[in-house]
Each structure stands twice: as C-alpha cells, then as structure tokens.
Amino acid sequence: HKSSFSISIILSLFFIFFGIGNFFGLLIKTTSYQIQYLFIILLLSELISYFNLKFQNSKICYYLNICKRGFLIGIFVEAFKVGS
C-alpha cells in the first residue's frame, strides 16, 4: 500500500531529481546532441512508467516513478525560465 512509503524519502528523491533535471535543462542547451538526449530521457521515462504499471506493488518502481516526476518537472521549470 502507498501508506507504507516514507514521506521524507519521497520528498528527498523528488527534490534531488528536480535539481538534477533543472541542471540537465541548463546543460542540454550547450550541446549539439539535444534531440538524442531528449529521446533517451523520453525512452527512459516511458520504461519507468511501463515497469511501474507492470509491478504495481514494487517499492523500487514507485520510487523510480517519483524520481522520474522530479526530473521531468525540473526540466519543465528550466524550459519555462528560459522562455519567459
């Protein structure tokens, strides 16, 4: 059940990967392989979602999903800062 997950671990993972995603968003602007990196990130994101659906009771998949969300939101926030 979802109640057995520690909120401190969830928030820690989310904010760590939010920072990593934000930093990744900064670095990706300086490289010429932007499309390839974004394709790899998208592929990894979809694989994590697939395994999360396949193994719904797995804590590792749940924590990976939290990491994925933090990372993708970090990239989105960095892209939004650049656009404004």
Side-chain angles (χ1 to χ4, degrees), residues 48-67:
I48 290 171
S49 295
Y50 170 75
F51 285 119
N52 191 32
L53 288 175
K54 190 168 177 82
F55 306 109
Q56 287 184 346
N57 294 330
S58 172
K59 279 189 174 185
I60 293 173
C61 289
Y62 183 75
Y63 288 139
L64 277 176
N65 201 26
I66 295 295
C67 295

Side-chain angles (χ1 to χ4, degrees), residues 25-39:
L26 281 172
L27 291 180
I28 200 168
K29 293 183 288 190
T30 62
T31 183
S32 61
Y33 297 109
Q34 292 176 353
I35 301 299
Q36 289 89 348
Y37 288 149
L38 290 176
F39 179 75

Side-chain angles (χ1 to χ4, degrees), residues 2-56:
K2 302 270 189 259
S3 62
S4 65
F5 297 108
S6 171
I7 191 71
S8 62
I9 294 175
I10 290 171
L11 287 176
S12 298
L13 285 174
F14 181 82
F15 286 121
I16 288 169
F17 278 86
F18 175 82
I20 292 171
N22 208 320
F23 188 66
F24 179 79
L26 281 172
L27 291 180
I28 200 168
K29 293 183 288 190
T30 62
T31 183
S32 61
Y33 297 109
Q34 292 176 353
I35 301 299
Q36 289 89 348
Y37 288 149
L38 290 176
F39 179 75
I40 290 169
I41 294 300
L42 181 64
L43 181 66
L44 288 174
S45 173
E46 290 299 320
L47 282 174
I48 290 171
S49 295
Y50 170 75
F51 285 119
N52 191 32
L53 288 175
K54 190 168 177 82
F55 306 109
Q56 287 184 346

